[in-house]
PDB file of all heavy atoms in Angstrom:
ATOM      1  N   LEU A   1       0.859  -1.181   0.000  1.00 97.00           N
ATOM      2  CA  LEU A   1       0.000   0.000   0.000  1.00 97.00           C
ATOM      3  C   LEU A   1       0.891   1.226   0.000  1.00 97.00           C
ATOM      4  O   LEU A   1       1.769   1.362   0.863  1.00 97.00           O
ATOM      5  CB  LEU A   1      -0.917   0.002   1.222  1.00 97.00           C
ATOM      6  CG  LEU A   1      -1.939   1.143   1.335  1.00 97.00           C
ATOM      7  CD1 LEU A   1      -3.165   0.679   2.112  1.00 97.00           C
ATOM      8  CD2 LEU A   1      -1.352   2.378   2.025  1.00 97.00           C
ATOM      9  N   ALA A   2       0.677   2.121  -0.951  1.00 95.00           N
ATOM     10  CA  ALA A   2       1.492   3.336  -1.057  1.00 95.00           C
ATOM     11  C   ALA A   2       0.602   4.560  -0.904  1.00 95.00           C
ATOM     12  O   ALA A   2      -0.340   4.742  -1.676  1.00 95.00           O
ATOM     13  CB  ALA A   2       2.226   3.383  -2.392  1.00 95.00           C
ATOM     14  N   PRO A   3       0.871   5.418   0.093  1.00 95.00           N
ATOM     15  CA  PRO A   3       0.094   6.648   0.266  1.00 95.00           C
ATOM     16  C   PRO A   3       0.719   7.819  -0.488  1.00 95.00           C
ATOM     17  O   PRO A   3       1.882   7.755  -0.910  1.00 95.00           O
ATOM     18  CB  PRO A   3       0.158   6.885   1.773  1.00 95.00           C
ATOM     19  CG  PRO A   3       1.531   6.370   2.142  1.00 95.00           C
ATOM     20  CD  PRO A   3       1.823   5.224   1.194  1.00 95.00           C
ATOM     21  N   VAL A   4      -0.048   8.883  -0.639  1.00 95.00           N
ATOM     22  CA  VAL A   4       0.498  10.143  -1.125  1.00 95.00           C
ATOM     23  C   VAL A   4       1.363  10.732  -0.010  1.00 95.00           C
ATOM     24  O   VAL A   4       1.045  10.590   1.173  1.00 95.00           O
ATOM     25  CB  VAL A   4      -0.635  11.117  -1.504  1.00 95.00           C
ATOM     26  CG1 VAL A   4      -0.081  12.453  -1.973  1.00 95.00           C
ATOM     27  CG2 VAL A   4      -1.513  10.495  -2.589  1.00 95.00           C
ATOM     28  N   TYR A   5       2.459  11.381  -0.378  1.00 92.00           N
ATOM     29  CA  TYR A   5       3.368  11.924   0.636  1.00 92.00           C
ATOM     30  C   TYR A   5       2.679  12.991   1.491  1.00 92.00           C
ATOM     31  O   TYR A   5       1.711  13.641   1.084  1.00 92.00           O
ATOM     32  CB  TYR A   5       4.617  12.505  -0.022  1.00 92.00           C
ATOM     33  CG  TYR A   5       4.374  13.764  -0.830  1.00 92.00           C
ATOM     34  CD1 TYR A   5       4.456  15.014  -0.240  1.00 92.00           C
ATOM     35  CD2 TYR A   5       4.047  13.695  -2.185  1.00 92.00           C
ATOM     36  CE1 TYR A   5       4.225  16.174  -0.967  1.00 92.00           C
ATOM     37  CE2 TYR A   5       3.810  14.846  -2.917  1.00 92.00           C
ATOM     38  CZ  TYR A   5       3.912  16.078  -2.297  1.00 92.00           C
ATOM     39  OH  TYR A   5       3.663  17.225  -3.018  1.00 92.00           O
ATOM     40  N   ALA A   6       3.194  13.158   2.702  1.00 94.00           N
ATOM     41  CA  ALA A   6       2.683  14.176   3.626  1.00 94.00           C
ATOM     42  C   ALA A   6       3.859  14.691   4.443  1.00 94.00           C
ATOM     43  O   ALA A   6       4.980  14.176   4.358  1.00 94.00           O
ATOM     44  CB  ALA A   6       1.604  13.595   4.530  1.00 94.00           C
ATOM     45  N   THR A   7       3.615  15.726   5.251  1.00 95.00           N
ATOM     46  CA  THR A   7       4.641  16.202   6.174  1.00 95.00           C
ATOM     47  C   THR A   7       5.107  15.038   7.041  1.00 95.00           C
ATOM     48  O   THR A   7       4.308  14.193   7.449  1.00 95.00           O
ATOM     49  CB  THR A   7       4.073  17.335   7.058  1.00 95.00           C
ATOM     50  OG1 THR A   7       3.557  18.364   6.204  1.00 95.00           O
ATOM     51  CG2 THR A   7       5.150  17.918   7.943  1.00 95.00           C
ATOM     52  N   ALA A   8       6.399  15.001   7.377  1.00 95.00           N
ATOM     53  CA  ALA A   8       7.018  13.809   7.958  1.00 95.00           C
ATOM     54  C   ALA A   8       6.300  13.307   9.213  1.00 95.00           C
ATOM     55  O   ALA A   8       6.044  12.106   9.343  1.00 95.00           O
ATOM     56  CB  ALA A   8       8.486  14.097   8.271  1.00 95.00           C
ATOM     57  N   ASN A   9       5.965  14.205  10.153  1.00 95.00           N
ATOM     58  CA  ASN A   9       5.337  13.729  11.387  1.00 95.00           C
ATOM     59  C   ASN A   9       3.922  13.208  11.124  1.00 95.00           C
ATOM     60  O   ASN A   9       3.493  12.223  11.738  1.00 95.00           O
ATOM     61  CB  ASN A   9       5.314  14.827  12.445  1.00 95.00           C
ATOM     62  CG  ASN A   9       4.528  16.053  12.030  1.00 95.00           C
ATOM     63  OD1 ASN A   9       4.658  16.543  10.907  1.00 95.00           O
ATOM     64  ND2 ASN A   9       3.693  16.564  12.919  1.00 95.00           N
ATOM     65  N   ILE A  10       3.200  13.836  10.196  1.00 96.00           N
ATOM     66  CA  ILE A  10       1.863  13.350   9.847  1.00 96.00           C
ATOM     67  C   ILE A  10       1.966  12.015   9.115  1.00 96.00           C
ATOM     68  O   ILE A  10       1.168  11.096   9.344  1.00 96.00           O
ATOM     69  CB  ILE A  10       1.118  14.393   8.989  1.00 96.00           C
ATOM     70  CG1 ILE A  10       0.918  15.683   9.788  1.00 96.00           C
ATOM     71  CG2 ILE A  10      -0.212  13.854   8.498  1.00 96.00           C
ATOM     72  CD1 ILE A  10       0.261  16.798   8.997  1.00 96.00           C
ATOM     73  N   ALA A  11       2.957  11.883   8.236  1.00 96.00           N
ATOM     74  CA  ALA A  11       3.152  10.628   7.510  1.00 96.00           C
ATOM     75  C   ALA A  11       3.451   9.478   8.473  1.00 96.00           C
ATOM     76  O   ALA A  11       2.995   8.349   8.261  1.00 96.00           O
ATOM     77  CB  ALA A  11       4.288  10.777   6.496  1.00 96.00           C
ATOM     78  N   CYS A  12       4.214   9.759   9.536  1.00 95.00           N
ATOM     79  CA  CYS A  12       4.501   8.723  10.536  1.00 95.00           C
ATOM     80  C   CYS A  12       3.232   8.318  11.281  1.00 95.00           C
ATOM     81  O   CYS A  12       3.008   7.126  11.535  1.00 95.00           O
ATOM     82  CB  CYS A  12       5.557   9.218  11.515  1.00 95.00           C
ATOM     83  SG  CYS A  12       7.203   9.374  10.804  1.00 95.00           S
ATOM     84  N   ASP A  13       2.399   9.306  11.644  1.00 96.00           N
ATOM     85  CA  ASP A  13       1.116   8.985  12.273  1.00 96.00           C
ATOM     86  C   ASP A  13       0.252   8.153  11.336  1.00 96.00           C
ATOM     87  O   ASP A  13      -0.383   7.174  11.757  1.00 96.00           O
ATOM     88  CB  ASP A  13       0.379  10.274  12.655  1.00 96.00           C
ATOM     89  CG  ASP A  13       1.020  10.993  13.833  1.00 96.00           C
ATOM     90  OD1 ASP A  13       1.875  10.376  14.500  1.00 96.00           O
ATOM     91  OD2 ASP A  13       0.670  12.157  14.082  1.00 96.00           O
ATOM     92  N   HIS A  14       0.220   8.531  10.067  1.00 96.00           N
ATOM     93  CA  HIS A  14      -0.560   7.783   9.086  1.00 96.00           C
ATOM     94  C   HIS A  14      -0.060   6.342   8.970  1.00 96.00           C
ATOM     95  O   HIS A  14      -0.863   5.402   8.875  1.00 96.00           O
ATOM     96  CB  HIS A  14      -0.481   8.460   7.719  1.00 96.00           C
ATOM     97  CG  HIS A  14      -1.308   9.704   7.618  1.00 96.00           C
ATOM     98  ND1 HIS A  14      -1.268  10.549   6.524  1.00 96.00           N
ATOM     99  CD2 HIS A  14      -2.207  10.251   8.472  1.00 96.00           C
ATOM    100  CE1 HIS A  14      -2.109  11.554   6.713  1.00 96.00           C
ATOM    101  NE2 HIS A  14      -2.679  11.396   7.878  1.00 96.00           N
ATOM    102  N   ASN A  15       1.252   6.160   8.987  1.00 96.00           N
ATOM    103  CA  ASN A  15       1.786   4.812   8.836  1.00 96.00           C
ATOM    104  C   ASN A  15       1.418   3.931  10.022  1.00 96.00           C
ATOM    105  O   ASN A  15       1.133   2.739   9.856  1.00 96.00           O
ATOM    106  CB  ASN A  15       3.303   4.866   8.657  1.00 96.00           C
ATOM    107  CG  ASN A  15       3.897   3.508   8.346  1.00 96.00           C
ATOM    108  OD1 ASN A  15       4.577   2.913   9.169  1.00 96.00           O
ATOM    109  ND2 ASN A  15       3.628   2.986   7.157  1.00 96.00           N
ATOM    110  N   GLN A  16       1.402   4.510  11.220  1.00 95.00           N
ATOM    111  CA  GLN A  16       0.962   3.741  12.386  1.00 95.00           C
ATOM    112  C   GLN A  16      -0.495   3.317  12.228  1.00 95.00           C
ATOM    113  O   GLN A  16      -0.864   2.180  12.535  1.00 95.00           O
ATOM    114  CB  GLN A  16       1.141   4.574  13.658  1.00 95.00           C
ATOM    115  CG  GLN A  16       2.585   4.847  14.040  1.00 95.00           C
ATOM    116  CD  GLN A  16       3.324   3.606  14.497  1.00 95.00           C
ATOM    117  OE1 GLN A  16       2.714   2.605  14.879  1.00 95.00           O
ATOM    118  NE2 GLN A  16       4.642   3.646  14.467  1.00 95.00           N
ATOM    119  N   LEU A  17      -1.332   4.234  11.739  1.00 96.00           N
ATOM    120  CA  LEU A  17      -2.739   3.909  11.517  1.00 96.00           C
ATOM    121  C   LEU A  17      -2.895   2.820  10.453  1.00 96.00           C
ATOM    122  O   LEU A  17      -3.740   1.930  10.575  1.00 96.00           O
ATOM    123  CB  LEU A  17      -3.509   5.157  11.092  1.00 96.00           C
ATOM    124  CG  LEU A  17      -3.849   6.158  12.197  1.00 96.00           C
ATOM    125  CD1 LEU A  17      -4.451   7.424  11.592  1.00 96.00           C
ATOM    126  CD2 LEU A  17      -4.808   5.550  13.198  1.00 96.00           C
ATOM    127  N   ILE A  18      -2.089   2.911   9.398  1.00 97.00           N
ATOM    128  CA  ILE A  18      -2.148   1.905   8.336  1.00 97.00           C
ATOM    129  C   ILE A  18      -1.872   0.513   8.908  1.00 97.00           C
ATOM    130  O   ILE A  18      -2.609  -0.446   8.643  1.00 97.00           O
ATOM    131  CB  ILE A  18      -1.138   2.240   7.220  1.00 97.00           C
ATOM    132  CG1 ILE A  18      -1.622   3.445   6.408  1.00 97.00           C
ATOM    133  CG2 ILE A  18      -0.924   1.029   6.302  1.00 97.00           C
ATOM    134  CD1 ILE A  18      -0.601   3.986   5.425  1.00 97.00           C
ATOM    135  N   MET A  19      -0.834   0.382   9.718  1.00 96.00           N
ATOM    136  CA  MET A  19      -0.475  -0.926  10.271  1.00 96.00           C
ATOM    137  C   MET A  19      -1.537  -1.432  11.237  1.00 96.00           C
ATOM    138  O   MET A  19      -1.860  -2.629  11.261  1.00 96.00           O
ATOM    139  CB  MET A  19       0.895  -0.848  10.940  1.00 96.00           C
ATOM    140  CG  MET A  19       2.043  -0.615   9.968  1.00 96.00           C
ATOM    141  SD  MET A  19       3.675  -0.765  10.721  1.00 96.00           S
ATOM    142  CE  MET A  19       3.706   0.694  11.772  1.00 96.00           C
ATOM    143  N   ILE A  20      -2.101  -0.533  12.054  1.00 96.00           N
ATOM    144  CA  ILE A  20      -3.155  -0.929  13.003  1.00 96.00           C
ATOM    145  C   ILE A  20      -4.377  -1.442  12.253  1.00 96.00           C
ATOM    146  O   ILE A  20      -4.928  -2.513  12.570  1.00 96.00           O
ATOM    147  CB  ILE A  20      -3.525   0.261  13.911  1.00 96.00           C
ATOM    148  CG1 ILE A  20      -2.379   0.584  14.878  1.00 96.00           C
ATOM    149  CG2 ILE A  20      -4.808  -0.036  14.698  1.00 96.00           C
ATOM    150  CD1 ILE A  20      -2.573   1.874  15.649  1.00 96.00           C
ATOM    151  N   LEU A  21      -4.819  -0.681  11.251  1.00 97.00           N
ATOM    152  CA  LEU A  21      -6.024  -1.067  10.517  1.00 97.00           C
ATOM    153  C   LEU A  21      -5.808  -2.303   9.661  1.00 97.00           C
ATOM    154  O   LEU A  21      -6.732  -3.098   9.468  1.00 97.00           O
ATOM    155  CB  LEU A  21      -6.500   0.102   9.657  1.00 97.00           C
ATOM    156  CG  LEU A  21      -7.148   1.256  10.427  1.00 97.00           C
ATOM    157  CD1 LEU A  21      -7.464   2.420   9.496  1.00 97.00           C
ATOM    158  CD2 LEU A  21      -8.418   0.799  11.127  1.00 97.00           C
ATOM    159  N   MET A  22      -4.608  -2.487   9.135  1.00 97.00           N
ATOM    160  CA  MET A  22      -4.326  -3.700   8.357  1.00 97.00           C
ATOM    161  C   MET A  22      -4.588  -4.951   9.191  1.00 97.00           C
ATOM    162  O   MET A  22      -5.241  -5.900   8.736  1.00 97.00           O
ATOM    163  CB  MET A  22      -2.871  -3.695   7.880  1.00 97.00           C
ATOM    164  CG  MET A  22      -2.628  -2.879   6.630  1.00 97.00           C
ATOM    165  SD  MET A  22      -0.894  -2.942   6.141  1.00 97.00           S
ATOM    166  CE  MET A  22      -0.995  -2.138   4.541  1.00 97.00           C
ATOM    167  N   ARG A  23      -4.098  -4.946  10.429  1.00 97.00           N
ATOM    168  CA  ARG A  23      -4.284  -6.117  11.293  1.00 97.00           C
ATOM    169  C   ARG A  23      -5.759  -6.310  11.646  1.00 97.00           C
ATOM    170  O   ARG A  23      -6.271  -7.435  11.642  1.00 97.00           O
ATOM    171  CB  ARG A  23      -3.452  -5.954  12.561  1.00 97.00           C
ATOM    172  CG  ARG A  23      -1.947  -6.074  12.350  1.00 97.00           C
ATOM    173  CD  ARG A  23      -1.254  -6.207  13.691  1.00 97.00           C
ATOM    174  NE  ARG A  23       0.177  -6.408  13.572  1.00 97.00           N
ATOM    175  CZ  ARG A  23       1.080  -5.455  13.816  1.00 97.00           C
ATOM    176  NH1 ARG A  23       0.688  -4.246  14.164  1.00 97.00           N
ATOM    177  NH2 ARG A  23       2.372  -5.704  13.704  1.00 97.00           N
ATOM    178  N   GLN A  24      -6.444  -5.210  11.973  1.00 97.00           N
ATOM    179  CA  GLN A  24      -7.844  -5.312  12.374  1.00 97.00           C
ATOM    180  C   GLN A  24      -8.729  -5.801  11.235  1.00 97.00           C
ATOM    181  O   GLN A  24      -9.560  -6.705  11.416  1.00 97.00           O
ATOM    182  CB  GLN A  24      -8.337  -3.941  12.862  1.00 97.00           C
ATOM    183  CG  GLN A  24      -7.750  -3.488  14.186  1.00 97.00           C
ATOM    184  CD  GLN A  24      -8.270  -2.122  14.607  1.00 97.00           C
ATOM    185  OE1 GLN A  24      -8.912  -1.426  13.836  1.00 97.00           O
ATOM    186  NE2 GLN A  24      -7.972  -1.727  15.832  1.00 97.00           N
ATOM    187  N   ILE A  25      -8.568  -5.213  10.067  1.00 98.00           N
ATOM    188  CA  ILE A  25      -9.444  -5.543   8.935  1.00 98.00           C
ATOM    189  C   ILE A  25      -9.140  -6.931   8.389  1.00 98.00           C
ATOM    190  O   ILE A  25     -10.039  -7.640   7.921  1.00 98.00           O
ATOM    191  CB  ILE A  25      -9.320  -4.454   7.850  1.00 98.00           C
ATOM    192  CG1 ILE A  25      -9.868  -3.128   8.396  1.00 98.00           C
ATOM    193  CG2 ILE A  25     -10.060  -4.847   6.579  1.00 98.00           C
ATOM    194  CD1 ILE A  25      -9.624  -1.935   7.497  1.00 98.00           C
ATOM    195  N   ALA A  26      -7.875  -7.354   8.448  1.00 98.00           N
ATOM    196  CA  ALA A  26      -7.529  -8.706   7.976  1.00 98.00           C
ATOM    197  C   ALA A  26      -8.305  -9.757   8.755  1.00 98.00           C
ATOM    198  O   ALA A  26      -8.780 -10.747   8.179  1.00 98.00           O
ATOM    199  CB  ALA A  26      -6.026  -8.932   8.108  1.00 98.00           C
ATOM    200  N   LYS A  27      -8.480  -9.554  10.064  1.00 97.00           N
ATOM    201  CA  LYS A  27      -9.223 -10.525  10.873  1.00 97.00           C
ATOM    202  C   LYS A  27     -10.659 -10.664  10.387  1.00 97.00           C
ATOM    203  O   LYS A  27     -11.220 -11.762  10.386  1.00 97.00           O
ATOM    204  CB  LYS A  27      -9.211 -10.089  12.343  1.00 97.00           C
ATOM    205  CG  LYS A  27      -7.888 -10.269  13.051  1.00 97.00           C
ATOM    206  CD  LYS A  27      -8.010  -9.874  14.518  1.00 97.00           C
ATOM    207  CE  LYS A  27      -6.687 -10.059  15.247  1.00 97.00           C
ATOM    208  NZ  LYS A  27      -6.782  -9.667  16.673  1.00 97.00           N
ATOM    209  N   ARG A  28     -11.266  -9.543   9.993  1.00 96.00           N
ATOM    210  CA  ARG A  28     -12.656  -9.577   9.545  1.00 96.00           C
ATOM    211  C   ARG A  28     -12.817 -10.349   8.240  1.00 96.00           C
ATOM    212  O   ARG A  28     -13.925 -10.743   7.879  1.00 96.00           O
ATOM    213  CB  ARG A  28     -13.191  -8.150   9.390  1.00 96.00           C
ATOM    214  CG  ARG A  28     -13.202  -7.370  10.683  1.00 96.00           C
ATOM    215  CD  ARG A  28     -14.245  -6.265  10.649  1.00 96.00           C
ATOM    216  NE  ARG A  28     -13.845  -5.121   9.866  1.00 96.00           N
ATOM    217  CZ  ARG A  28     -13.311  -4.008  10.377  1.00 96.00           C
ATOM    218  NH1 ARG A  28     -13.093  -3.917  11.697  1.00 96.00           N
ATOM    219  NH2 ARG A  28     -12.991  -2.993   9.613  1.00 96.00           N
ATOM    220  N   HIS A  29     -11.717 -10.541   7.507  1.00 97.00           N
ATOM    221  CA  HIS A  29     -11.763 -11.273   6.238  1.00 97.00           C
ATOM    222  C   HIS A  29     -11.167 -12.673   6.369  1.00 97.00           C
ATOM    223  O   HIS A  29     -10.865 -13.312   5.355  1.00 97.00           O
ATOM    224  CB  HIS A  29     -11.024 -10.473   5.162  1.00 97.00           C
ATOM    225  CG  HIS A  29     -11.724  -9.216   4.752  1.00 97.00           C
ATOM    226  ND1 HIS A  29     -12.530  -9.142   3.630  1.00 97.00           N
ATOM    227  CD2 HIS A  29     -11.772  -7.994   5.328  1.00 97.00           C
ATOM    228  CE1 HIS A  29     -13.031  -7.916   3.527  1.00 97.00           C
ATOM    229  NE2 HIS A  29     -12.580  -7.197   4.538  1.00 97.00           N
ATOM    230  N   GLY A  30     -10.979 -13.132   7.614  1.00 96.00           N
ATOM    231  CA  GLY A  30     -10.424 -14.460   7.824  1.00 96.00           C
ATOM    232  C   GLY A  30      -8.969 -14.570   7.444  1.00 96.00           C
ATOM    233  O   GLY A  30      -8.474 -15.654   7.118  1.00 96.00           O
ATOM    234  N   LEU A  31      -8.251 -13.439   7.496  1.00 97.00           N
ATOM    235  CA  LEU A  31      -6.842 -13.402   7.123  1.00 97.00           C
ATOM    236  C   LEU A  31      -5.989 -12.950   8.306  1.00 97.00           C
ATOM    237  O   LEU A  31      -6.502 -12.398   9.290  1.00 97.00           O
ATOM    238  CB  LEU A  31      -6.627 -12.434   5.949  1.00 97.00           C
ATOM    239  CG  LEU A  31      -7.387 -12.745   4.657  1.00 97.00           C
ATOM    240  CD1 LEU A  31      -7.330 -11.536   3.715  1.00 97.00           C
ATOM    241  CD2 LEU A  31      -6.794 -13.974   3.973  1.00 97.00           C
ATOM    242  N   ALA A  32      -4.712 -13.160   8.206  1.00 97.00           N
ATOM    243  CA  ALA A  32      -3.746 -12.625   9.165  1.00 97.00           C
ATOM    244  C   ALA A  32      -2.763 -11.756   8.396  1.00 97.00           C
ATOM    245  O   ALA A  32      -2.227 -12.179   7.367  1.00 97.00           O
ATOM    246  CB  ALA A  32      -3.009 -13.748   9.891  1.00 97.00           C
ATOM    247  N   CYS A  33      -2.556 -10.525   8.869  1.00 97.00           N
ATOM    248  CA  CYS A  33      -1.623  -9.597   8.225  1.00 97.00           C
ATOM    249  C   CYS A  33      -0.289  -9.672   8.941  1.00 97.00           C
ATOM    250  O   CYS A  33      -0.207  -9.419  10.154  1.00 97.00           O
ATOM    251  CB  CYS A  33      -2.183  -8.172   8.274  1.00 97.00           C
ATOM    252  SG  CYS A  33      -1.082  -6.942   7.549  1.00 97.00           S
ATOM    253  N   LEU A  34       0.760 -10.025   8.219  1.00 96.00           N
ATOM    254  CA  LEU A  34       2.104 -10.155   8.785  1.00 96.00           C
ATOM    255  C   LEU A  34       2.915  -8.920   8.408  1.00 96.00           C
ATOM    256  O   LEU A  34       3.129  -8.651   7.226  1.00 96.00           O
ATOM    257  CB  LEU A  34       2.792 -11.414   8.254  1.00 96.00           C
ATOM    258  CG  LEU A  34       2.030 -12.737   8.428  1.00 96.00           C
ATOM    259  CD1 LEU A  34       2.850 -13.890   7.863  1.00 96.00           C
ATOM    260  CD2 LEU A  34       1.701 -12.979   9.895  1.00 96.00           C
ATOM    261  N   LEU A  35       3.359  -8.185   9.423  1.00 94.00           N
ATOM    262  CA  LEU A  35       4.137  -6.969   9.197  1.00 94.00           C
ATOM    263  C   LEU A  35       5.602  -7.142   9.577  1.00 94.00           C
ATOM    264  O   LEU A  35       6.360  -6.176   9.549  1.00 94.00           O
ATOM    265  CB  LEU A  35       3.524  -5.809   9.986  1.00 94.00           C
ATOM    266  CG  LEU A  35       2.114  -5.391   9.539  1.00 94.00           C
ATOM    267  CD1 LEU A  35       1.538  -4.359  10.495  1.00 94.00           C
ATOM    268  CD2 LEU A  35       2.132  -4.833   8.127  1.00 94.00           C
ATOM    269  N   HIS A  36       5.990  -8.350   9.942  1.00 93.00           N
ATOM    270  CA  HIS A  36       7.399  -8.625  10.233  1.00 93.00           C
ATOM    271  C   HIS A  36       8.234  -8.381   8.982  1.00 93.00           C
ATOM    272  O   HIS A  36       7.784  -8.607   7.859  1.00 93.00           O
ATOM    273  CB  HIS A  36       7.561 -10.071  10.708  1.00 93.00           C
ATOM    274  CG  HIS A  36       8.902 -10.363  11.316  1.00 93.00           C
ATOM    275  ND1 HIS A  36      10.025 -10.572  10.550  1.00 93.00           N
ATOM    276  CD2 HIS A  36       9.292 -10.466  12.610  1.00 93.00           C
ATOM    277  CE1 HIS A  36      11.062 -10.811  11.353  1.00 93.00           C
ATOM    278  NE2 HIS A  36      10.640 -10.750  12.606  1.00 93.00           N
ATOM    279  N   GLU A  37       9.465  -7.890   9.202  1.00 90.00           N
ATOM    280  CA  GLU A  37      10.306  -7.557   8.052  1.00 90.00           C
ATOM    281  C   GLU A  37      10.696  -8.776   7.221  1.00 90.00           C
ATOM    282  O   GLU A  37      10.968  -8.654   6.019  1.00 90.00           O
ATOM    283  CB  GLU A  37      11.584  -6.849   8.530  1.00 90.00           C
ATOM    284  CG  GLU A  37      11.354  -5.466   9.107  1.00 90.00           C
ATOM    285  CD  GLU A  37      11.046  -5.477  10.586  1.00 90.00           C
ATOM    286  OE1 GLU A  37      10.728  -6.556  11.124  1.00 90.00           O
ATOM    287  OE2 GLU A  37      11.108  -4.415  11.223  1.00 90.00           O
TER     288      GLU A  37
END
């Protein structure tokens, strides 16, 4: 998933939200989202 760029501190907040929602929404679809490197 690639977002449009934003100011650095806002982009960091957005990235945290992206990772949180990825895990939550994956569960609703019977999936597991792996964010390990």
